[in-house]
Amino acid sequence: MKKILILMMLLIASASVFGSGQNEQIEFDPTPTSFEGEWRNSNEKYNDEVYVFTGNKWKYTCNDESKWGSGYFTFTNDAITLYKQDGKKWWYSYSNPKYKITDAYVRINLNDKNWFGFLKQPVQEFVTSGDMFDKIQGTWRFPATEDYIWTFSENHFSYSDSSNSKNNLEGTFELTNNGLLKLIYKEGTALMSYSFTTNESIQIISTLTQYFGIFNKQ
């Protein structure tokens, strides 16, 4: 009888351990984080998609109510994990997606090929003058290869890629004072997030597939 009781206790304990590993139990913490507030998909085609973060809680809505979700999240310096109300991961097979965040934009990379970007709401007014507009003026080069160069001169911009001229862009630009660039060029418009890591370096997070990284002032 004792052996049976001991075996039953071990089975119950094992089930408890393995069961807790499947779901993450997180309590609400109202402390604001860097994700605080409302964020809307930066892609005009999907701008019905909205995330709202309050403390360590999140809520996702879009035009299709069947896709709505909510729960809690955890994050480190470069990775974020969203859990549903039942404790299971929101992004299913994606493990701790990487993110880059500024005051105006957050880009979350699910893996090397899948990512999405969201704009902080409300979006500030775009301007073509002021301190941040003056600060971005000049030539900025990507230090790792030196192939990629951004140039901002008055309200004109150009991007050159000496390794692949198909990536070259030029046109005019506007910006918000909290870190959002709007590029206006022949093919249309694009939004970029910018932040100055120092007075001599700028980080650009792109809503396109390339054109991002930290660039040094020349």
Side-chain angles (χ1 to χ4, degrees):
M1 180 64 71
K2 287 184 178 180
K3 289 183 178 181
I4 294 174
L5 288 174
I6 292 173
L7 180 59
M8 290 179 62
M9 291 173 66
L10 287 172
L11 288 173
I12 292 171
S14 297
S16 176
V17 170
F18 286 112
S20 63
Q22 293 176 358
N23 297 342
E24 186 74 13
Q25 301 301 320
I26 304 173
E27 295 183 357
F28 175 59
D29 182 351
T31 306
T33 71
S34 54
F35 299 94
E36 198 76 8
E38 180 180 320
W39 303 79
R40 185 176 296 274
N41 197 311
S42 61
N43 188 325
E44 186 174 351
K45 183 179 179 180
Y46 304 109
N47 69 0
D48 61 302
E49 299 180 352
V50 176
Y51 277 93
V52 176
F53 294 90
T54 306
N56 66 337
K57 292 182 68 174
W58 64 273
K59 181 179 180 181
Y60 170 82
T61 58
C62 63
N63 288 340
D64 185 351
E65 291 189 20
S66 68
K67 296 180 180 179
W68 289 14
S70 62
Y72 298 95
F73 70 99
T74 61
F75 69 101
T76 64
N77 290 331
D78 66 348
I80 182 171
T81 304
L82 273 61
Y83 296 95
K84 297 185 292 183
Q85 295 288 359
D86 61 7
K88 295 181 179 179
K89 288 185 178 180
W90 172 240
W91 289 309
Y92 304 106
S93 60
Y94 300 108
S95 178
N96 302 325
K98 303 295 183 182
Y99 72 88
K100 293 283 188 181
I101 189 170
T102 67
D103 291 339
Y105 181 76
V106 59
R107 171 173 170 147
I108 299 179
N109 288 65
L110 300 178
N111 53 34
D112 292 338
K113 296 182 179 180
N114 296 289
W115 60 271
F116 52 79
F118 283 74
L119 301 177
K120 183 68 176 289
Q121 302 299 307
V123 176
Q124 285 192 4
E125 179 184 3
F126 286 92
V127 298
T128 55
S129 62
D131 292 343
M132 299 304 283
F133 189 83
D134 294 339
K135 191 173 183 178
I136 205 172
Q137 299 292 308
T139 299
W140 306 82
R141 186 187 296 270
F142 189 65
T145 65
E146 299 194 346
D147 290 328
Y148 317 122
I149 299 174
W150 284 98
T151 301
F152 299 95
S153 178
E154 297 183 345
N155 74 327
H156 180 268
F157 84 90
S158 66
Y159 175 86
S160 64
D161 179 352
S162 60
S163 65
N164 188 350
S165 61
K166 292 182 179 180
N167 292 331
N168 292 353
L169 288 176
E170 66 175 328
T172 60
F173 77 97
E174 305 170 353
L175 55 74
T176 66
N177 289 319
N178 70 335
L180 199 61
L181 273 169
K182 180 193 289 184
L183 307 183
I184 305 150
Y185 52 99
K186 183 179 179 180
E187 291 78 8
T189 62
L191 293 174
M192 308 277 190
S193 172
Y194 74 92
S195 60
F196 293 97
T197 55
T198 70
N199 287 331
E200 301 299 320
S201 62
I202 186 173
Q203 176 176 258
I204 293 178
I205 306 174
S206 174
T207 59
L208 304 176
T209 55
Q210 57 271 87
Y211 318 115
F212 63 93
I214 293 179
F215 297 77
N216 292 336
K217 188 75 174 283
Q218 302 300 294

